[in-house]
């Protein structure tokens, strides 16, 4: 495997958490409102033994009382380009691990690493590097966003590197990921698009419709061919029109589609978010970050692939033309905004942040809900929905802050 400088290296070069392991010592968290698939339970408890949630704990279990708090399953991010000053597209292994850890500090216990448009051979090499991190359990897989997208809706992607979705080239990226490709975003209306969607579906890779200039009818064709996700709905696609309903209508109305939403207050007006929830329902929404390097790091100048980005007041825009360039969002902020600004129930927010993305990734037997036998991935929030603790696989990434 090669890192960004081309040197050979081992993927495990830096720890992804700074705190001593607590796995192996049985722990009971009690007194919180526990959000379960069947609803919220007040004064509930969650028992952890080793790396998993269990039904009961031995008499010597450590008991941590957390009254007035919420216990949620760990957040799952389907679409994330980096954080902590690090890029998943161009950073070294150490950089990538730093970005992963940054998001874990904000409650994301499972993360899919997203790339941005680049030269095809370069992306294939990155896929090889990221697949090793997936094999080690640092990430859940790889999402390719570009280069098979529309120049009309390119957003923060380099136009000179875009290409039509030739199935042979799509297959090259899938093969380079060595079974760790989870999702690929493409504009299915381009030549080769529908065949590429079929290829992805046949290989168990999510075909996501995004950065597209498709009509309503072309989007319906893509869904029938096997597409199952809308990449950051509303963004980088034609707006909804009453005579030309476009992709938004097709994606919202079809029960086979899960729609990604970036709930940062910049990418979506609250009314647009409510529209998506009203038509798709909580079971078909997945909150994502679409985060770039500045997430959890701060304002300044960054690079998103070959494009320079200015981050000011937490909003990332291309230096060249002011186009929004990803986000600086973390999922704990997305959760808090969804319940305090958008008026979603805690249960619906958990569905969009944990349950649905876990199901899409085919990992809902392990993550996405607080149930016995599943990984001990959880988030502790206070009564104001501020993050106060994060556990991943039985280890505290952020120890409980109860003072």
């Amino acid at each position: 495997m090669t890192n960004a400088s081309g040197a050979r290296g081992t993927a495990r070069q830096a720890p992804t958490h700074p705190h001593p392991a607590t796995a192996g010592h049985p722990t009971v968290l009690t007194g919180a409102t526990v959000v379960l698939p069947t609803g919220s339970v007040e004064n509930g408890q969650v028992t952890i033994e080793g790396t998993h949630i269990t039904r009961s704990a031995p008499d010597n279990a450590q008991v941590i009382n957390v009254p007035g708090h919420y216990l949620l399953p760990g957040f799952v991010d389907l679409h994330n380009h980096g954080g902590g000053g690090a890029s998943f597209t161009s950073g070294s292994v150490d950089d990538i691990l730093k970005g992963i850890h940054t998001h874990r500090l904000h409650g994301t216990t499972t993360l899919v690493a997203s790339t941005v448009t680049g030269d095809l051979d370069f992306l294939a090499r990155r896929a090889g590097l990221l697949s090793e991190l997936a094999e080690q359990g640092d990430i859940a897989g790889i999402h390719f966003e570009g280069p098979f997208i529309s120049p009309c809706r390119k957003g923060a992607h380099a136009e000179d590197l875009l290409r039509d979705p030739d199935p042979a080239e799509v297959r090259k990226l899938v093969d380079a990921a060595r079974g760790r490709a989870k999702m690929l975003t493409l504009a299915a209306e381009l030549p080769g698009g529908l065949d590429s969607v079929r290829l992805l579906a046949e290989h168990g890779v999510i075909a996501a419709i995004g950065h597209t200039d498709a009509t309503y009818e072309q989007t319906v064709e893509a869904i029938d061919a096997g597409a199952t996700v809308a990449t950051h709905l509303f963004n980088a696609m034609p707006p909804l029109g009453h005579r030309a309903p476009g992709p938004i209508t097709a994606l919202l109305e079809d029960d086979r589609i899960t729609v990604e939403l970036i709930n940062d207050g910049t990418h979506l007006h609250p009314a647009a978010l409510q529209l998506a929830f009203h038509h798709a329902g909580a079971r078909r929404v997945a909150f994502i970050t679409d985060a770039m390097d500045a997430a959890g790091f701060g304002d300044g100048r960054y690079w998103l692939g070959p494009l320079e980005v200015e981050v000011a007041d937490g909003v990332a825009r291309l230096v060249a033309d002011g186009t929004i360039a990803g986000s600086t969002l973390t999922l704990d902020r997305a959760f808090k905004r969804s319940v305090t600004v958008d008026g979603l129930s805690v249960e619906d927010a958990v569905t969009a942040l944990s349950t649905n993305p876990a199901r899409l990734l085919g990992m809902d037997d392990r993550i996405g809900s607080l149930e016995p036998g599943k990984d001990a991935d959880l988030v502790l929030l206070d009564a104001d929905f501020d993050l106060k603790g994060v556990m991943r696989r039985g280890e505290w990434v952020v120890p409980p802050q109860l003072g």
Side-chain angles (χ1 to χ4, degrees):
M1 164 179 89
T2 59
N3 60 24
S5 64
R8 297 287 295 180
T10 302
R12 176 65 66 192
Q13 293 186 23
T16 57
H17 58 83
H19 302 291
T22 58
H25 189 87
T27 301
V28 178
L29 297 167
T30 186
T33 297
V34 181
V35 184
L36 302 174
T38 53
S40 295
V41 177
E42 294 185 9
N43 195 28
Q45 71 176 37
V46 175
T47 302
I48 300 102
E49 190 164 5
T51 60
H52 290 81
I53 298 169
T54 60
R55 293 189 182 278
S56 59
D59 293 338
N60 66 341
Q62 177 189 18
V63 177
I64 302 176
N65 291 305
V66 287
H69 288 69
Y70 290 87
L71 276 174
L72 320 175
F75 303 141
V76 182
D77 196 353
L78 293 170
H79 186 157
N80 188 316
H81 297 280
S87 166
F88 297 150
T89 299
S90 58
S92 68
V93 169
D94 285 349
D95 290 334
I96 296 167
L97 292 173
K98 179 181 178 183
I100 294 165
H101 180 61
T102 296
H103 285 282
R104 286 185 186 166
L105 293 174
H106 293 275
T108 297
T109 52
T110 301
L111 179 150
V112 175
S114 302
T115 60
V116 296
T117 292
D119 174 80
L120 202 66
D121 289 335
F122 171 78
L123 290 175
R125 292 194 298 272
R126 293 302 293 183
L129 183 152
L130 291 169
S131 68
E132 290 201 21
L133 293 173
E135 289 159 8
Q136 293 173 173
D138 293 297
I139 59 175
I142 305 163
H143 163 219
F144 299 101
E145 188 178 24
F148 309 113
I149 61 176
S150 172
C152 301
R153 304 287 174 178
K154 66 183 184 300
H157 291 256
E159 185 169 358
D160 61 327
L161 295 173
L162 301 182
R163 54 211 300 145
D164 291 338
D166 180 336
E169 295 185 338
V170 171
R171 178 68 184 269
K172 177 178 179 176
L173 291 186
V174 171
D175 288 347
R178 303 201 302 263
R180 302 294 176 168
K182 289 293 185 180
M183 184 162 65
L184 187 145
T185 294
L186 76 168
E189 76 277 9
L190 297 175
L194 292 178
D195 286 339
S196 293
V197 169
R198 296 186 186 100
L199 181 148
L200 291 168
E202 289 168 2
H203 285 80
V205 180
I206 296 166
I209 301 302
H211 289 277
T212 176
D213 203 41
T215 64
Y216 172 87
E217 292 77 14
Q218 288 170 326
T219 307
V220 170
E221 282 189 281
I223 297 169
D224 288 340
T228 56
V229 166
T231 294
H232 45 53
L233 187 73
F234 300 108
N235 290 277
M237 59 183 63
L240 190 154
H242 64 291
R243 292 193 182 93
I248 293 171
T249 302
L251 295 164
L252 279 177
E253 72 181 5
D254 198 302
D255 284 346
R256 293 171 289 182
I257 293 292
T258 298
V259 298
E260 294 182 346
L261 298 177
I262 308 170
N263 193 17
D264 61 353
T266 298
H267 282 80
L268 292 176
H269 190 283
L273 183 140
Q274 291 293 340
L275 178 71
F277 265 88
H278 177 75
H279 285 277
R283 67 183 182 85
R284 289 207 294 119
V285 172
F287 284 136
I288 61 164
T289 61
D290 194 19
M292 45 79 70
D293 310 20
F297 201 66
D299 291 353
R301 290 282 180 108
Y302 298 85
W303 291 93
L304 189 61
L307 303 178
E308 191 172 13
V309 176
E310 175 77 30
V311 179
D313 297 325
V315 178
R317 296 184 181 275
L318 292 182
V319 171
D321 61 10
T323 299
I324 293 176
S327 86
T328 62
L329 187 63
T330 53
L331 284 183
D332 58 333
R333 287 169 45 210
F335 182 94
K336 181 170 182 175
R337 180 178 177 85
S338 70
V339 295
T340 62
V341 175
D342 302 307
L344 299 185
S345 69
V346 169
E347 293 80 7
D348 281 353
V350 167
T351 298
L353 281 150
S354 303
T355 310
N356 290 343
R359 172 182 49 80
L360 274 172
L361 294 174
M363 299 176 68
D364 51 334
D365 60 332
R366 289 179 41 208
I367 62 172
S369 60
L370 299 179
E371 297 178 274
K374 294 194 176 182
D375 289 354
D377 293 355
L378 58 86
V379 175
L380 180 68
L381 303 178
D382 66 15
D384 295 321
F385 305 107
D386 291 320
L387 187 142
K388 295 297 178 182
V390 180
M391 177 181 283
R392 182 176 186 271
R393 297 181 186 174
E395 299 182 7
W396 288 111
V397 180
V398 178
Q401 301 167 23
L402 304 176

